[in-house]
Amino acid sequence: MDSSLDDEIRLTALLELLSGSSWVSTHEILKTFDASAQTLAGAIQRLSDWGLTIGSLNGAAYRLESPIQLLRTSRIRGELPPDWQAVMGISVLPVVDSTNTRLLCDWPNQLPWAILAEYQSDGRGRRGRRWYSPFGVNLYLSVAWAFDRTHIELSTLPLAMGVCCIRALAPLGLAGLVIKWPNDLWINEAKLGGILVESCNVGEVLRVVVGVGINVNMDLGHSPPGAVLWTTLRNELTAQDKEVPDRNVLASALLTNIANGLRVFSAQGFGPFLNEWAARDMTRDRLVSVGVPEKITGIACGINEKGALRVKTSEGLILVESGDISIRVVSK
Ligand code: BTN
């Protein structure tokens, strides 16, 4: 009987079989999955569609061209500090549309709850952009949390979450890691990661999803099109002679710092994050161009306590509120 290799669990199992350094014969694959050659060809095509490069010896044997470490719930949970180990829900999914969308659509009973995915078919960035999410090479994760609506000033939360991501990455010892207002993670004038905070009101409760995408091992030849220059942790760490961490360990550090940050933000707001944000401010004292929606140009002078960017222009100081705004560094 020909078993389907369509479902994501079995495709992930196939991937694991192919992820060693040696070739796996077609005969062995067909036997393992009780599948036909035609089904296998379809499965190989699906894996390629997810952004994976599968090597083939004329169809007689296959292997994954670059090795990947898959995400494991048990490994991620095992790296969490004991207080979060006991209460944080974690789901690792091979494939989703978007981890943010999943949490907003299927709101969990237990909080905080985190979803991590190996691949997003509809990864979303800020301002309606797409977030390029090839399989197994980067990190795509979202954390669901709830606030008391009457006590929260949401506009600074994305900036606080930028600080939390910096805290998670700081132990890697990367020089030059900065935040580009409001909450993009940059290094050496290239984008390393981004954060998308989304929310909805349900009675007195404000449901919030914090989505984080970090480029870890992505091949830069495949980076998303557009004006932004991209980089990855692997690229930057290798250039600085440092080890690239296991994605599970990194995921755990991100979840820990995001959950800690959400807890502190609920009680104290943005205050405890402001100085760290300012210390990583990429555009401080630089000439910038900001669309609000008309473009203004001036010298960026940091942020105020509400997270608005201060820009000194020929017409005086302008406060750029967080929201649908783009910022472009035009010179040093
Ligand atoms: C940006 O535009 O810089 C924000 C990118 C946020 C991407 C992450 S990946 C995990 C989560 N799920 C999504 O669809 N988007 C966020």
Side-chain angles (χ1 to χ4, degrees):
M1 187 194 84
D2 181 15
S3 296
S4 165
L5 258 171
D6 268 359
D7 75 273
E8 280 131 19
I9 307 286
R10 286 169 67 79
L11 276 170
T12 311
L14 171 61
L15 197 57
E16 280 182 74
L17 183 66
L18 301 183
S19 62
S21 51
S22 39
W23 293 96
V24 186
S25 75
T26 302
H27 178 72
E28 182 185 337
I29 301 172
L30 298 183
K31 211 165 109 212
T32 307
F33 291 96
D34 193 13
S36 68
Q38 195 188 4
T39 302
L40 176 60
I44 297 289
Q45 183 56 51
R46 282 274 312 275
L47 296 180
S48 309
D49 294 343
W50 290 351
L52 292 157
T53 311
I54 313 289
S56 159
L57 284 179
N58 290 327
Y62 293 93
R63 75 171 179 201
L64 197 59
E65 286 301 13
S66 335
I68 55 170
Q69 304 147 335
L70 292 172
L71 295 171
R72 303 254 173 255
T73 310
S74 57
R75 290 230 36 224
I76 296 168
R77 184 178 296 289
E79 297 283 337
L80 291 176
D83 55 337
W84 288 125
Q85 242 176 52
V87 297
M88 190 186 297
I90 300 178
S91 312
V92 173
L93 307 173
V95 174
V96 286
D97 45 2
S98 143
T99 53
N100 267 35
T101 308
R102 273 311 95 228
L103 279 172
L104 286 166
C105 293
D106 307 324
W107 191 250
N109 291 326
Q110 181 187 334
L111 294 174
W113 195 284
I115 293 188
L116 301 94
E118 296 288 12
Y119 173 82
Q120 296 185 118
S121 57
D122 187 22
R124 294 184 292 109
R126 290 195 305 114
R127 309 180 68 232
R129 285 182 297 248
R130 207 178 155 242
W131 189 257
Y132 183 61
S133 312
F135 193 99
V137 284
N138 296 328
L139 282 175
Y140 322 112
L141 59 90
S142 301
V143 179
W145 185 268
F147 292 103
D148 173 351
R149 199 147 74 86
T150 50
H151 283 92
I152 211 76
E153 172 54 70
L154 198 62
S155 64
T156 48
L157 182 64
L159 286 82
M161 292 299 106
V163 170
C164 295
C165 292
I166 294 280
R167 289 175 182 167
L169 298 176
L172 302 177
L174 262 180
L177 187 59
V178 288
I179 304 176
K180 184 175 173 203
W181 185 86
N183 62 0
D184 275 1
L185 305 170
W186 281 59
I187 185 164
N188 291 328
E189 307 293 322
K191 183 159 172 168
L192 178 72
I195 302 167
L196 177 66
V197 176
E198 296 182 290
S199 61
C200 68
N201 292 325
V202 179
E204 290 303 289
V205 174
L206 180 66
R207 292 179 175 178
V208 169
V209 172
V210 178
V212 177
I214 308 276
N215 301 330
V216 184
N217 288 315
M218 175 169 77
D219 178 353
L220 284 172
H222 294 152
S223 50
V228 169
L229 188 61
W230 295 87
T231 191
T232 62
L233 274 180
R234 181 176 57 179
N235 198 36
E236 300 301 324
L237 286 164
T238 314
Q240 296 184 21
D241 253 346
K242 299 203 157 78
E243 290 276 295
V244 184
D246 183 306
R247 286 192 309 137
N248 289 286
V249 175
L250 195 59
S252 198
L254 284 161
L255 295 183
T256 302
N257 281 281
I258 290 168
N260 286 341
L262 287 164
R263 189 155 57 187
V264 169
F265 192 90
S266 318
Q268 300 172 58
F270 187 49
F273 302 89
L274 183 56
N275 288 345
E276 277 172 85
W277 197 99
R280 299 278 183 170
D281 182 355
M282 175 179 172
T283 57
R284 174 98 215 178
D285 297 332
R286 293 172 72 170
L287 185 61
V288 295
S289 162
V290 190
V292 283
E294 303 98 51
K295 272 236 150 76
I296 58 157
T297 298
I299 302 293
C301 306
I303 54 169
N304 69 6
E305 71 294 343
K306 292 209 166 118
L309 183 71
R310 295 197 193 96
V311 184
K312 197 160 63 183
T313 70
S314 49
E315 271 133 58
L317 194 71
I318 293 186
L319 280 180
V320 184
E321 307 284 337
S322 52
D324 223 17
I325 289 161
S326 70
I327 178 168
R328 191 164 57 85
V329 179
V330 289
S331 82
K332 198 146 192 142

